[in-house]
Amino acid sequence: MSWFERAERGLREFYVAPYRRVFARAKRDEEDLFMMLVLSEALGVPNPASGATLELLPEMLDRMHDWHVRQGLDQSPLDGMQCC
């Protein structure tokens, strides 16, 4: 690896590092919003896209525990889906 490539990597890391936490938080917030959309009918909120989100439900069940803990809930808010 040449000096120029090492300098380029170093500068890229220098500019990207401060924003890593911001991007991770934005990604987590986006996933939380998506989880609310998929689980909205089970939570009692009418969902106009229920047919499409029903297919995603099995995928979301794997992430259910992490989501409800981040939301500050000790247990799952869904009666039929207990994860802990």
Side-chain angles (χ1 to χ4, degrees):
M1 183 176 345
S2 71
W3 177 86
F4 182 73
E5 290 172 340
R6 286 184 293 179
E8 182 183 8
R9 278 191 182 180
L11 285 173
R12 183 179 309 273
E13 184 65 25
F14 176 76
Y15 286 111
V16 170
Y19 301 104
R20 236 184 233 124
R21 188 174 288 163
V22 173
F23 288 136
R25 183 173 186 87
K27 182 180 182 226
R28 191 175 62 230
D29 290 347
E30 185 178 308
E31 287 179 0
D32 288 345
L33 182 63
F34 185 68
M35 181 73 91
M36 286 292 293
L37 176 66
V38 171
L39 298 173
S40 64
E41 265 194 35
L43 293 170
V45 179
N47 182 358
S50 62
T53 57
L54 184 61
E55 295 175 8
L56 297 170
L57 198 54
E59 178 69 29
M60 295 289 110
L61 291 178
D62 295 338
R63 302 185 211 167
M64 182 68 182
H65 179 72
D66 294 334
W67 173 76
H68 79 75
V69 170
R70 269 198 316 271
Q71 300 306 313
L73 304 170
D74 294 333
Q75 296 180 4
S76 170
L78 307 175
D79 294 334
M81 298 177 207
Q82 298 299 325
C83 62
C84 46

